[in-house]
Amino acid sequence: TARWRYVSDQTQDRIRQFMGSAGLKHLLYIGKSTFLESDVAFTSNGLDLTSDRVDALNILRREENISNTNWNFILQSRLNKQFENGNLLEFGVRSYILNYNLALQQRESDLLQTFVDDKGSSSLNSMYATSKLRLSQNLFFEGGFNTQYFALNKQLVVEPRASLEWEKGRHTLGMAYGLHGRIERLNYYLNRDVEGIQQNRDLDMTRSHHFVGSYGILLRENRRVLIQPYFQHLFDVPVSRGSSFSFINLQNDWFINEELRHSGRGRNYGIDVTMEQFLTNGLYYTVSGSLMKSQYRGGDNVWRNTLFDRGYIGNFLLGKELIVGSNRSNILGLNVRITYQGGLRFTPIDESGSLDSRSVIEDEEKAYSEKFSDDLIVHFSASFRKNKARYSSIWMLSILNAS
């Protein structure tokens, strides 16, 4: 115990996870310019976790129980019509049938409190339509809408989308707008307070206005530079009244049993610059950089930096494919990706309060005011594809976080 530095040093976790999926696609051509594509899929994933911790008397006590199993059916279909003048029309529907079996317990004082104990099903259904029109020889417009209906709390949202692109020679110039909505993980709707009430079941979707501009230039036939400034305005973000807490900063917190409000706000803005060479003689690469700012407003109506306000990110991706084998039918691929980015932000510790309570207490007034050191991340992969007349096989070695 003299060598313990972190809470995790006195914690013992047991984790089991699984996932699986299967799907079927059907494509039907209706004439020369229309097709109907339909998909049905099944996905399942599960997590069982128990967490024990040694207390001040060196007694190992159960702190958390998590049992989460999901099995989902996905049904979707889209009808695509291509006109002779280059215009396009597409209409589609999607349905995600969400089945869940969820049990969450966490220690509060001397007792394990049940946050969630639910088994059931719900669905997220959407319908969309989009069209692409050639307004002139060099000007294109794309517009449409997406609707979403979340059956768990009967919320319906309509999301317009539109973009305009000018293209001439080696240059392209564009602008786009879209309204997007997102449901949260099911346990946040099903969590219960100390009286057993699901007070967050009617939580609204988090929504966001997206504005993007773009300028691209083709330097050569196989090399392009793309510049994209962007701005996002987030609203209806779940927050806690009078607190700096916001779902914008959420990572993997299972246990939330307080009443949430959807009055939070957020804003992200920045610029991305990318230069890429498309696959040529087996070689491709991408060099990109981003400058960004990410801020949010919690339940206390104070604007702060978010957890993810890194400031900048730089990426370099390089890949080479080699044709090998006696009959020149196999492919050896080598890839490396290097990322250098600003560190995530964190909330400093209230040292005196933590010492008094013998547990970690953060200084909420200074939420995400400090920053971890910058990150250097290196990934490497090598793949070998062996092609036969009627089948192929791929072997791959990946080294992640090599740095």
Side-chain angles (χ1 to χ4, degrees), residues 95-131:
S95 182
Y96 298 86
I97 302 170
L98 312 170
N99 300 280
Y100 56 87
N101 188 355
L102 183 60
L104 303 177
Q105 289 182 311
Q106 186 181 52
R107 179 172 295 281
E108 296 283 345
S109 300
D110 291 328
L111 298 174
L112 279 175
Q113 179 182 331
T114 298
F115 281 62
V116 179
D117 188 5
D118 265 287
K119 181 179 181 181
S121 64
S122 186
S123 65
L124 177 66
N125 305 287
S126 65
M127 178 179 66
Y128 70 92
T130 182
S131 61

mmCIF file of all heavy atoms in Angstrom, residues 95-131:
data_model
loop_
_atom_site.group_PDB
_atom_site.id
_atom_site.type_symbol
_atom_site.label_atom_id
_atom_site.label_comp_id
_atom_site.label_asym_id
_atom_site.label_seq_id
_atom_site.Cartn_x
_atom_site.Cartn_y
_atom_site.Cartn_z
ATOM 1 N N SER A 95 -34.836 1.877 -39.547
ATOM 2 C CA SER A 95 -35.420 1.558 -38.241
ATOM 3 C C SER A 95 -34.409 0.763 -37.432
ATOM 4 O O SER A 95 -33.907 -0.267 -37.899
ATOM 5 C CB SER A 95 -36.713 0.750 -38.408
ATOM 6 O OG SER A 95 -37.298 0.494 -37.142
ATOM 7 N N TYR A 96 -34.087 1.269 -36.252
ATOM 8 C CA TYR A 96 -33.196 0.588 -35.319
ATOM 9 C C TYR A 96 -34.057 0.087 -34.159
ATOM 10 O O TYR A 96 -34.569 0.892 -33.370
ATOM 11 C CB TYR A 96 -32.118 1.534 -34.795
ATOM 12 C CG TYR A 96 -31.208 2.089 -35.856
ATOM 13 C CD1 TYR A 96 -31.557 3.236 -36.559
ATOM 14 C CD2 TYR A 96 -29.997 1.474 -36.157
ATOM 15 C CE1 TYR A 96 -30.728 3.760 -37.530
ATOM 16 C CE2 TYR A 96 -29.160 1.990 -37.131
ATOM 17 C CZ TYR A 96 -29.533 3.136 -37.816
ATOM 18 O OH TYR A 96 -28.710 3.645 -38.787
ATOM 19 N N ILE A 97 -34.237 -1.204 -34.068
ATOM 20 C CA ILE A 97 -35.011 -1.803 -32.975
ATOM 21 C C ILE A 97 -34.038 -2.161 -31.860
ATOM 22 O O ILE A 97 -33.158 -3.007 -32.036
ATOM 23 C CB ILE A 97 -35.785 -3.032 -33.472
ATOM 24 C CG1 ILE A 97 -36.709 -2.625 -34.625
ATOM 25 C CG2 ILE A 97 -36.595 -3.655 -32.329
ATOM 26 C CD1 ILE A 97 -37.343 -3.795 -35.339
ATOM 27 N N LEU A 98 -34.172 -1.511 -30.725
ATOM 28 C CA LEU A 98 -33.198 -1.570 -29.635
ATOM 29 C C LEU A 98 -33.743 -2.429 -28.502
ATOM 30 O O LEU A 98 -34.713 -2.051 -27.843
ATOM 31 C CB LEU A 98 -32.899 -0.161 -29.127
ATOM 32 C CG LEU A 98 -32.600 0.895 -30.197
ATOM 33 C CD1 LEU A 98 -32.560 2.282 -29.583
ATOM 34 C CD2 LEU A 98 -31.308 0.577 -30.924
ATOM 35 N N ASN A 99 -33.138 -3.581 -28.269
ATOM 36 C CA ASN A 99 -33.499 -4.449 -27.151
ATOM 37 C C ASN A 99 -32.393 -4.383 -26.097
ATOM 38 O O ASN A 99 -31.199 -4.413 -26.437
ATOM 39 C CB ASN A 99 -33.665 -5.894 -27.631
ATOM 40 C CG ASN A 99 -34.745 -6.023 -28.687
ATOM 41 O OD1 ASN A 99 -35.923 -6.055 -28.388
ATOM 42 N ND2 ASN A 99 -34.324 -6.090 -29.956
ATOM 43 N N TYR A 100 -32.777 -4.333 -24.833
ATOM 44 C CA TYR A 100 -31.782 -4.137 -23.790
ATOM 45 C C TYR A 100 -32.143 -4.930 -22.538
ATOM 46 O O TYR A 100 -33.308 -5.201 -22.254
ATOM 47 C CB TYR A 100 -31.652 -2.645 -23.442
ATOM 48 C CG TYR A 100 -32.948 -1.988 -23.029
ATOM 49 C CD1 TYR A 100 -33.374 -2.007 -21.702
ATOM 50 C CD2 TYR A 100 -33.756 -1.360 -23.969
ATOM 51 C CE1 TYR A 100 -34.565 -1.412 -21.319
ATOM 52 C CE2 TYR A 100 -34.952 -0.766 -23.602
ATOM 53 C CZ TYR A 100 -35.349 -0.790 -22.281
ATOM 54 O OH TYR A 100 -36.532 -0.212 -21.902
ATOM 55 N N ASN A 101 -31.104 -5.307 -21.812
ATOM 56 C CA ASN A 101 -31.221 -5.923 -20.491
ATOM 57 C C ASN A 101 -30.115 -5.306 -19.647
ATOM 58 O O ASN A 101 -28.937 -5.615 -19.840
ATOM 59 C CB ASN A 101 -31.070 -7.441 -20.593
ATOM 60 C CG ASN A 101 -31.379 -8.129 -19.275
ATOM 61 O OD1 ASN A 101 -31.615 -7.479 -18.252
ATOM 62 N ND2 ASN A 101 -31.363 -9.455 -19.272
ATOM 63 N N LEU A 102 -30.470 -4.430 -18.735
ATOM 64 C CA LEU A 102 -29.503 -3.557 -18.096
ATOM 65 C C LEU A 102 -29.695 -3.539 -16.585
ATOM 66 O O LEU A 102 -30.804 -3.358 -16.093
ATOM 67 C CB LEU A 102 -29.667 -2.134 -18.657
ATOM 68 C CG LEU A 102 -28.713 -1.037 -18.204
ATOM 69 C CD1 LEU A 102 -27.271 -1.395 -18.544
ATOM 70 C CD2 LEU A 102 -29.090 0.276 -18.879
ATOM 71 N N ALA A 103 -28.595 -3.755 -15.858
ATOM 72 C CA ALA A 103 -28.615 -3.677 -14.389
ATOM 73 C C ALA A 103 -27.352 -2.963 -13.925
ATOM 74 O O ALA A 103 -26.236 -3.380 -14.272
ATOM 75 C CB ALA A 103 -28.697 -5.067 -13.775
ATOM 76 N N LEU A 104 -27.529 -1.892 -13.148
ATOM 77 C CA LEU A 104 -26.406 -1.089 -12.665
ATOM 78 C C LEU A 104 -26.545 -0.874 -11.165
ATOM 79 O O LEU A 104 -27.599 -0.449 -10.681
ATOM 80 C CB LEU A 104 -26.373 0.280 -13.358
ATOM 81 C CG LEU A 104 -26.304 0.316 -14.889
ATOM 82 C CD1 LEU A 104 -26.363 1.751 -15.374
ATOM 83 C CD2 LEU A 104 -25.042 -0.364 -15.384
ATOM 84 N N GLN A 105 -25.457 -1.147 -10.433
ATOM 85 C CA GLN A 105 -25.422 -0.897 -8.998
ATOM 86 C C GLN A 105 -24.110 -0.212 -8.638
ATOM 87 O O GLN A 105 -23.054 -0.536 -9.191
ATOM 88 C CB GLN A 105 -25.518 -2.200 -8.201
ATOM 89 C CG GLN A 105 -26.885 -2.877 -8.252
ATOM 90 C CD GLN A 105 -26.899 -4.123 -7.392
ATOM 91 O OE1 GLN A 105 -25.999 -4.963 -7.481
ATOM 92 N NE2 GLN A 105 -27.920 -4.251 -6.544
ATOM 93 N N GLN A 106 -24.188 0.731 -7.701
ATOM 94 C CA GLN A 106 -22.996 1.421 -7.209
ATOM 95 C C GLN A 106 -23.143 1.681 -5.715
ATOM 96 O O GLN A 106 -24.251 1.948 -5.235
ATOM 97 C CB GLN A 106 -22.789 2.747 -7.946
ATOM 98 C CG GLN A 106 -21.475 3.453 -7.587
ATOM 99 C CD GLN A 106 -21.331 4.765 -8.323
ATOM 100 O OE1 GLN A 106 -22.229 5.608 -8.287
ATOM 101 N NE2 GLN A 106 -20.206 4.954 -8.994
ATOM 102 N N ARG A 107 -22.019 1.599 -4.995
ATOM 103 C CA ARG A 107 -22.055 1.813 -3.554
ATOM 104 C C ARG A 107 -22.298 3.279 -3.229
ATOM 105 O O ARG A 107 -21.628 4.176 -3.735
ATOM 106 C CB ARG A 107 -20.739 1.352 -2.922
ATOM 107 C CG ARG A 107 -20.683 1.570 -1.398
ATOM 108 C CD ARG A 107 -19.454 0.920 -0.784
ATOM 109 N NE ARG A 107 -19.517 -0.521 -0.935
ATOM 110 C CZ ARG A 107 -20.243 -1.338 -0.171
ATOM 111 N NH1 ARG A 107 -20.985 -0.829 0.808
ATOM 112 N NH2 ARG A 107 -20.233 -2.632 -0.377
ATOM 113 N N GLU A 108 -23.289 3.509 -2.395
ATOM 114 C CA GLU A 108 -23.558 4.826 -1.809
ATOM 115 C C GLU A 108 -23.544 4.640 -0.296
ATOM 116 O O GLU A 108 -24.375 3.917 0.240
ATOM 117 C CB GLU A 108 -24.912 5.358 -2.273
ATOM 118 C CG GLU A 108 -25.011 5.615 -3.766
ATOM 119 C CD GLU A 108 -24.321 6.894 -4.186
ATOM 120 O OE1 GLU A 108 -24.023 7.705 -3.281
ATOM 121 O OE2 GLU A 108 -24.066 7.078 -5.386
ATOM 122 N N SER A 109 -22.593 5.288 0.396
ATOM 123 C CA SER A 109 -22.370 5.065 1.830
ATOM 124 C C SER A 109 -22.055 3.586 2.055
ATOM 125 O O SER A 109 -21.074 3.095 1.529
ATOM 126 C CB SER A 109 -23.593 5.506 2.636
ATOM 127 O OG SER A 109 -23.841 6.875 2.431
ATOM 128 N N ASP A 110 -22.878 2.850 2.778
ATOM 129 C CA ASP A 110 -22.568 1.451 3.075
ATOM 130 C C ASP A 110 -23.426 0.478 2.281
ATOM 131 O O ASP A 110 -23.408 -0.729 2.563
ATOM 132 C CB ASP A 110 -22.747 1.178 4.575
ATOM 133 C CG ASP A 110 -21.687 1.878 5.411
ATOM 134 O OD1 ASP A 110 -20.563 2.022 4.904
ATOM 135 O OD2 ASP A 110 -21.997 2.277 6.552
ATOM 136 N N LEU A 111 -24.206 0.976 1.330
ATOM 137 C CA LEU A 111 -25.119 0.100 0.614
ATOM 138 C C LEU A 111 -24.903 0.205 -0.894
ATOM 139 O O LEU A 111 -24.545 1.268 -1.413
ATOM 140 C CB LEU A 111 -26.577 0.462 0.940
ATOM 141 C CG LEU A 111 -27.014 0.312 2.395
ATOM 142 C CD1 LEU A 111 -28.424 0.862 2.562
ATOM 143 C CD2 LEU A 111 -26.948 -1.144 2.831
ATOM 144 N N LEU A 112 -25.129 -0.915 -1.592
ATOM 145 C CA LEU A 112 -25.147 -0.899 -3.044
ATOM 146 C C LEU A 112 -26.502 -0.377 -3.505
ATOM 147 O O LEU A 112 -27.537 -0.958 -3.205
ATOM 148 C CB LEU A 112 -24.911 -2.301 -3.607
ATOM 149 C CG LEU A 112 -23.470 -2.800 -3.673
ATOM 150 C CD1 LEU A 112 -23.426 -4.243 -4.127
ATOM 151 C CD2 LEU A 112 -22.632 -1.931 -4.597
ATOM 152 N N GLN A 113 -26.474 0.750 -4.204
ATOM 153 C CA GLN A 113 -27.716 1.353 -4.689
ATOM 154 C C GLN A 113 -27.959 0.930 -6.134
ATOM 155 O O GLN A 113 -27.058 0.966 -6.980
ATOM 156 C CB GLN A 113 -27.643 2.878 -4.609
ATOM 157 C CG GLN A 113 -28.907 3.570 -5.121
ATOM 158 C CD GLN A 113 -28.790 5.073 -5.089
ATOM 159 O OE1 GLN A 113 -28.076 5.636 -4.262
ATOM 160 N NE2 GLN A 113 -29.489 5.745 -5.988
ATOM 161 N N THR A 114 -29.185 0.553 -6.453
ATOM 162 C CA THR A 114 -29.557 0.174 -7.811
ATOM 163 C C THR A 114 -29.943 1.416 -8.596
ATOM 164 O O THR A 114 -30.902 2.107 -8.250
ATOM 165 C CB THR A 114 -30.723 -0.836 -7.803
ATOM 166 O OG1 THR A 114 -30.305 -2.020 -7.128
ATOM 167 C CG2 THR A 114 -31.137 -1.186 -9.226
ATOM 168 N N PHE A 115 -29.189 1.693 -9.643
ATOM 169 C CA PHE A 115 -29.480 2.834 -10.503
ATOM 170 C C PHE A 115 -30.428 2.433 -11.633
ATOM 171 O O PHE A 115 -31.309 3.192 -12.011
ATOM 172 C CB PHE A 115 -28.179 3.387 -11.099
ATOM 173 C CG PHE A 115 -27.390 4.242 -10.160
ATOM 174 C CD1 PHE A 115 -26.885 3.734 -8.969
ATOM 175 C CD2 PHE A 115 -27.131 5.566 -10.459
ATOM 176 C CE1 PHE A 115 -26.150 4.508 -8.106
ATOM 177 C CE2 PHE A 115 -26.394 6.366 -9.599
ATOM 178 C CZ PHE A 115 -25.904 5.843 -8.413
ATOM 179 N N VAL A 116 -30.190 1.249 -12.227
ATOM 180 C CA VAL A 116 -31.011 0.760 -13.329
ATOM 181 C C VAL A 116 -31.236 -0.733 -13.142
ATOM 182 O O VAL A 116 -30.310 -1.467 -12.789
ATOM 183 C CB VAL A 116 -30.335 1.000 -14.705
ATOM 184 C CG1 VAL A 116 -31.201 0.453 -15.838
ATOM 185 C CG2 VAL A 116 -30.065 2.474 -14.933
ATOM 186 N N ASP A 117 -32.452 -1.170 -13.372
ATOM 187 C CA ASP A 117 -32.765 -2.598 -13.430
ATOM 188 C C ASP A 117 -33.944 -2.738 -14.392
ATOM 189 O O ASP A 117 -35.101 -2.772 -13.982
ATOM 190 C CB ASP A 117 -33.117 -3.140 -12.039
ATOM 191 C CG ASP A 117 -33.263 -4.656 -12.045
ATOM 192 O OD1 ASP A 117 -32.995 -5.276 -13.097
ATOM 193 O OD2 ASP A 117 -33.652 -5.218 -11.006
ATOM 194 N N ASP A 118 -33.622 -2.771 -15.702
ATOM 195 C CA ASP A 118 -34.655 -2.726 -16.719
ATOM 196 C C ASP A 118 -34.349 -3.708 -17.848
ATOM 197 O O ASP A 118 -33.191 -3.932 -18.206
ATOM 198 C CB ASP A 118 -34.756 -1.322 -17.323
ATOM 199 C CG ASP A 118 -35.818 -0.491 -16.645
ATOM 200 O OD1 ASP A 118 -37.012 -0.760 -16.864
ATOM 201 O OD2 ASP A 118 -35.439 0.431 -15.878
ATOM 202 N N LYS A 119 -35.425 -4.240 -18.396
ATOM 203 C CA LYS A 119 -35.352 -5.115 -19.553
ATOM 204 C C LYS A 119 -36.492 -4.751 -20.481
ATOM 205 O O LYS A 119 -37.646 -4.636 -20.041
ATOM 206 C CB LYS A 119 -35.449 -6.585 -19.139
ATOM 207 C CG LYS A 119 -35.358 -7.574 -20.288
ATOM 208 C CD LYS A 119 -35.429 -9.000 -19.769
ATOM 209 C CE LYS A 119 -35.306 -10.005 -20.908
ATOM 210 N NZ LYS A 119 -35.386 -11.404 -20.414
ATOM 211 N N GLY A 120 -36.208 -4.516 -21.749
ATOM 212 C CA GLY A 120 -37.274 -4.123 -22.654
ATOM 213 C C GLY A 120 -36.748 -3.812 -24.035
ATOM 214 O O GLY A 120 -35.664 -4.251 -24.427
ATOM 215 N N SER A 121 -37.528 -3.040 -24.784
ATOM 216 C CA SER A 121 -37.142 -2.685 -26.146
ATOM 217 C C SER A 121 -37.692 -1.313 -26.482
ATOM 218 O O SER A 121 -38.661 -0.840 -25.887
ATOM 219 C CB SER A 121 -37.653 -3.720 -27.146
ATOM 220 O OG SER A 121 -39.061 -3.743 -27.169
ATOM 221 N N SER A 122 -37.053 -0.673 -27.451
ATOM 222 C CA SER A 122 -37.501 0.597 -27.980
ATOM 223 C C SER A 122 -37.042 0.659 -29.440
ATOM 224 O O SER A 122 -36.563 -0.335 -29.995
ATOM 225 C CB SER A 122 -36.936 1.764 -27.166
ATOM 226 O OG SER A 122 -37.486 2.992 -27.612
ATOM 227 N N SER A 123 -37.160 1.838 -30.061
ATOM 228 C CA SER A 123 -36.732 1.958 -31.452
ATOM 229 C C SER A 123 -36.395 3.401 -31.772
ATOM 230 O O SER A 123 -36.927 4.337 -31.158
ATOM 231 C CB SER A 123 -37.809 1.446 -32.414
ATOM 232 O OG SER A 123 -38.962 2.250 -32.342
ATOM 233 N N LEU A 124 -35.507 3.556 -32.733
ATOM 234 C CA LEU A 124 -35.176 4.858 -33.311
ATOM 235 C C LEU A 124 -35.452 4.751 -34.805
ATOM 236 O O LEU A 124 -34.826 3.947 -35.507
ATOM 237 C CB LEU A 124 -33.707 5.212 -33.059
ATOM 238 C CG LEU A 124 -33.221 6.520 -33.688
ATOM 239 C CD1 LEU A 124 -33.931 7.713 -33.052
ATOM 240 C CD2 LEU A 124 -31.701 6.665 -33.526
ATOM 241 N N ASN A 125 -36.412 5.539 -35.293
ATOM 242 C CA ASN A 125 -36.860 5.441 -36.681
ATOM 243 C C ASN A 125 -36.585 6.749 -37.408
ATOM 244 O O ASN A 125 -36.750 7.834 -36.829
ATOM 245 C CB ASN A 125 -38.357 5.127 -36.729
ATOM 246 C CG ASN A 125 -38.707 3.880 -35.926
ATOM 247 O OD1 ASN A 125 -38.412 2.770 -36.322
ATOM 248 N ND2 ASN A 125 -39.321 4.085 -34.759
ATOM 249 N N SER A 126 -36.164 6.641 -38.654
ATOM 250 C CA SER A 126 -35.879 7.853 -39.414
ATOM 251 C C SER A 126 -36.311 7.682 -40.866
ATOM 252 O O SER A 126 -36.392 6.568 -41.394
ATOM 253 C CB SER A 126 -34.391 8.211 -39.333
ATOM 254 O OG SER A 126 -33.601 7.225 -39.959
ATOM 255 N N MET A 127 -36.584 8.819 -41.484
ATOM 256 C CA MET A 127 -36.923 8.883 -42.900
ATOM 257 C C MET A 127 -36.193 10.091 -43.480
ATOM 258 O O MET A 127 -36.114 11.143 -42.838
ATOM 259 C CB MET A 127 -38.433 9.021 -43.080
ATOM 260 C CG MET A 127 -38.880 9.154 -44.516
ATOM 261 S SD MET A 127 -40.690 9.291 -44.663
ATOM 262 C CE MET A 127 -40.959 10.878 -43.874
ATOM 263 N N TYR A 128 -35.648 9.943 -44.679
ATOM 264 C CA TYR A 128 -34.915 11.056 -45.256
ATOM 265 C C TYR A 128 -35.157 11.135 -46.754
ATOM 266 O O TYR A 128 -35.540 10.158 -47.409
ATOM 267 C CB TYR A 128 -33.412 10.920 -44.975
ATOM 268 C CG TYR A 128 -32.728 9.802 -45.738
ATOM 269 C CD1 TYR A 128 -32.142 10.042 -46.977
ATOM 270 C CD2 TYR A 128 -32.671 8.514 -45.218
ATOM 271 C CE1 TYR A 128 -31.517 9.015 -47.683
ATOM 272 C CE2 TYR A 128 -32.045 7.495 -45.907
ATOM 273 C CZ TYR A 128 -31.467 7.755 -47.139
ATOM 274 O OH TYR A 128 -30.862 6.752 -47.836
ATOM 275 N N ALA A 129 -34.948 12.324 -47.301
ATOM 276 C CA ALA A 129 -35.019 12.551 -48.740
ATOM 277 C C ALA A 129 -33.952 13.578 -49.097
ATOM 278 O O ALA A 129 -33.723 14.539 -48.347
ATOM 279 C CB ALA A 129 -36.394 13.051 -49.156
ATOM 280 N N THR A 130 -33.281 13.377 -50.214
ATOM 281 C CA THR A 130 -32.258 14.313 -50.649
ATOM 282 C C THR A 130 -32.236 14.356 -52.167
ATOM 283 O O THR A 130 -32.544 13.359 -52.832
ATOM 284 C CB THR A 130 -30.868 13.913 -50.103
ATOM 285 O OG1 THR A 130 -29.903 14.878 -50.499
ATOM 286 C CG2 THR A 130 -30.431 12.556 -50.619
ATOM 287 N N SER A 131 -31.891 15.502 -52.706
ATOM 288 C CA SER A 131 -31.788 15.649 -54.152
ATOM 289 C C SER A 131 -30.541 16.452 -54.485
ATOM 290 O O SER A 131 -30.143 17.349 -53.722
ATOM 291 C CB SER A 131 -33.030 16.347 -54.727
ATOM 292 O OG SER A 131 -33.170 17.643 -54.186
#
